[in-house]
Amino acid sequence: MMICSQYYPWLRYSKAFALCVALLLSSCSSFLDEDPDNRVALDDLEKAEQLLVNAYSVASQNFTDWMTDDVQFTQGTNLRLSHEQIYSWQDVTTGPTEQDTPDFFWFQTYEAIAHANEVLKVLDELPAETDEEKARKRAVEAEALLTRAYGHFMLVNLFGEHFDGRSGSNDGVPYVKTPETEFLAQYERESVRKVYDEVEDDLLDGLELLDDTFFENSGKYHFNRNAALAFASRYYLFKGEFTKCIQYSDQILGSNPEVFVKDLTSLEFQQASASIIEYPRLYTSPDLPSNFLLMRKISLVQRTDFAFGPDENFYSSLFGSHPFGNLTDERENPALVKGFDAVYPSRYQSLFERNSLNSSVGTPYYIHVAFSGEEVLLNRAESNAQLNNLDAALADMQVLVAKRYSGGTPDLTLQALRDFYDSSNDQNNLLSFIILLERRKEFIMQGMRWFDIKRYGFSVTHDLADGSLITLNEDDRRKVLQIPTSAVEVGGLEPNPR
C-alpha cells in the first residue's frame, strides 16, 4: 500500500477538476486546518525509508520485447489493441492505466520518482543526533538519489534517442528534482545529454553515500552497492564511455567474475528445470550472488496466453547457433508453449496478488531481475572488445559460456570465432558474438534487446497475420517512443516527431 500519493500534474488532473477544487477550497478553508487525507507525515527516518519502497517503478520494461527481432506474430494468444500497436511500432492510444504499455511505464516511473523527491525534500529537516542516525540518514539519501537516477535513465532511453555525439542535443525527458507544488505546472523536456548528466550526478552522489549495513535483511530489493555499481556499468556502456564501464564493472567482478554468474549447467539448475515454478523461483532468487537488484513488476508479459513470443523455429535456431559443435545451450530450456506457434523461456514466475482472500480479481506481477552479474560481465566484455582489448573480452566470455553450454567444455578462441563467422576481423567477430548472440540469448524476453537495437541502430522486420512484412529501419524515428498524450496536452511537453 502506498504511504504517499504524490503525483505529477500530467498523471491525473484536468482543468475542470482544478476549477472544482478551487471552489471547494474557497468555502472549506476551516476544514483544511486538519490533514485532508491519510497521508503520512515524513517526520522521522523510518517513515522516509518506508516511502522509498514506492520509489521503484512497478511498470515493466518487457513490453519492449514485442518491438524487437526476438518475437514474431504469434497465433492463438490474446491480442489487445496496444499489443498490435506496439508490435507494429505505432503510437499506443489506449491510455495510461493499461499495463505493459509506454504510457503506463511513463506514469508509474514518474510517480516513483515523486516518492524519491518527497524523501529528498524532507531529509535535511529530519533529526539525526547519533552517528548511527547520521549514517542511516545518508543511506536513505543514497537510495533516494539512486532510484531517481534510475527512473530518469530508463525514461530517457525509451522516450529519447540513444545518447551519442549526434543525438545528445535532441529532446529527452523532464528531469524532475523537486516535489510537485504548483497545480497544473508546465514542464520542459531537457536534452538527452542534460538528462544523462543529471543521472550521472545522482548516481555518483548515491554511490558515495551508500551503506549496505541498513539493508541487510532486504538488500536485493534495495539499491545495494553491487546494484548501484551495476547501474554505473550499464550507464557508462550506454554512454559509450567504455573505460569507465570497465572501471565500475571491475569493482564488482574483479578477477573472479565466475562468482557472479549463475551456473545453468549445475545440478541445482538441472533439477529445477523440471518445474515451471521452481526454475523461475531459483532464477530470481535473492540468495544467488548473481542477482543484484530485484523489483516487483505489475505485468502480464510472462503469461503464455498473452501477446507475442519467439516463434518456435526461430527460438530453436537461435539457441542452436554457437561455435561449440554439439554442445547444448542450457538457456533454451525450460520454455513454455505460447499460443500455437511460439515458446516462452521460463525465467519469471507468473504471480497474482488477490484484492482480498476471497476475491477472484487482483494484480498480476512478477519479480524482475533489474541488475545481474551476467549483465555486468557482458558490459565489461563489450567495452573491452570496443577498446580492442580482445584477450580481456575473450576471458570474460569464456567465464559465461562455461556456465551456459553442457555436454563438453566450450573453448572460446579467436580462431573458433573466425571459423564460425567466416571472417578474419577479430574485433567484429567478438562484438557480434557478445551482442548479437550471447547478450541476445542471455536476456531474451527480459526487456533488454530493445536497448541494444537502439544503441547499434539495428533494423527489425516483423511479419503480420496476413503474411505481409513491415520494417523498422536503422534510423527510424519510431524507435523513440511517443510521449503520452496527456503529458503533451496537460504537461505542455513537445511530442516526438513522426
Side-chain angles (χ1 to χ4, degrees), residues 81-82 85-86 88-94 102-103 477-478 480-483 485 495-498:
L81 174 61
S82 61
Q85 290 173 328
I86 293 170
S88 56
W89 312 296
Q90 300 175 33
D91 295 343
V92 177
T93 59
T94 54
D103 286 21
R477 288 179 170 179
R478 294 172 296 174
V480 182
L481 301 185
Q482 188 56 272
I483 301 296
T485 301
N496 286 319
R498 286 292 185 258

Side-chain angles (χ1 to χ4, degrees), residues 434-491:
I434 295 168
I435 299 159
L436 297 178
L437 202 59
E438 289 301 305
R439 188 176 177 93
R440 188 177 189 182
K441 291 179 180 182
E442 191 68 28
F443 302 120
I444 188 168
M445 305 311 292
Q446 296 183 51
M448 294 290 286
R449 178 65 175 170
W450 179 246
F451 300 104
D452 293 341
I453 287 171
K454 287 186 67 174
R455 289 195 300 129
Y456 283 95
F458 298 147
S459 61
V460 180
T461 298
H462 277 172
D463 59 323
L464 299 177
D466 61 5
S468 62
L469 300 177
I470 54 175
T471 298
L472 187 74
N473 296 318
E474 294 179 3
D475 57 353
D476 202 304
R477 288 179 170 179
R478 294 172 296 174
K479 286 185 177 178
V480 182
L481 301 185
Q482 188 56 272
I483 301 296
T485 301
S486 53
V488 174
E489 295 178 349
V490 181

